Amino acid sequence: MALLIGVGPAIQSEVLVLSGVHTPVVVTAAHSSKGKNDRVSWTCDLRRTDGLPLPHAFLDGSSGCHGRSDVGRTLDVLVDPAGWVPPGVPDMDREDLRQGITLLAVATALLAAVPVLARRTRPQAAGL
């Protein structure tokens, strides 16, 4: 299960690479939060410049939000037209995509094989 959870960001990036549309947005607000190790992370609220609704109207620190200095700045982000994944900046590091998709395929195959292998190794009831 950890493998399936770990490849989520890779799949989100893949969706943006394959179907993302370059969209200009304005950063309207920035919010900070502290993690367990007292590290500050930022989340920026977004609004499309053309006024159309934006599903997942936020950008986190790993995707390009760096703090209050970003408020009022116009960014070009990749937006999933279907609204399944949050926006991302076009120059995000996507080197792990192929590895993540391969890992997901292997994990899925292993999980599918578990019931088949369990049935084959189960001792047969006497007389049946």
Side-chain angles (χ1 to χ4, degrees):
M1 293 307 287
L3 292 174
L4 294 175
I5 293 169
V7 298
I11 291 177
Q12 288 181 354
S13 294
E14 183 71 11
V15 168
L16 288 178
V17 167
L18 295 176
S19 66
V21 176
H22 288 270
T23 306
V25 297
V26 175
V27 177
T28 58
H31 312 280
S32 65
S33 61
K34 278 192 177 181
K36 291 180 183 176
N37 57 359
D38 289 335
R39 184 175 177 191
V40 176
S41 61
W42 290 92
T43 303
C44 290
D45 296 341
L46 305 175
R47 177 181 44 86
R48 288 177 61 140
T49 57
D50 57 9
L52 294 173
L54 179 64
H56 308 284
F58 63 89
L59 193 66
D60 63 18
S62 63
S63 297
C65 178
H66 304 294
R68 289 189 180 95
S69 61
D70 286 344
V71 175
R73 186 171 69 136
T74 300
L75 302 171
D76 182 45
V77 296
L78 286 174
V79 173
D80 174 24
W84 287 98
V85 298
V89 292
D91 58 348
M92 287 183 353
D93 180 21
R94 293 182 172 87
E95 290 184 17
D96 62 339
L97 288 181
R98 184 169 296 148
Q99 295 168 353
I101 299 301
T102 302
L103 191 60
L104 177 64
V106 169
T108 302
L110 289 174
L111 286 174
V114 167
V116 172
L117 293 174
R119 184 177 176 152
R120 285 186 180 181
T121 59
R122 186 178 63 185
Q124 296 296 327
L128 296 178

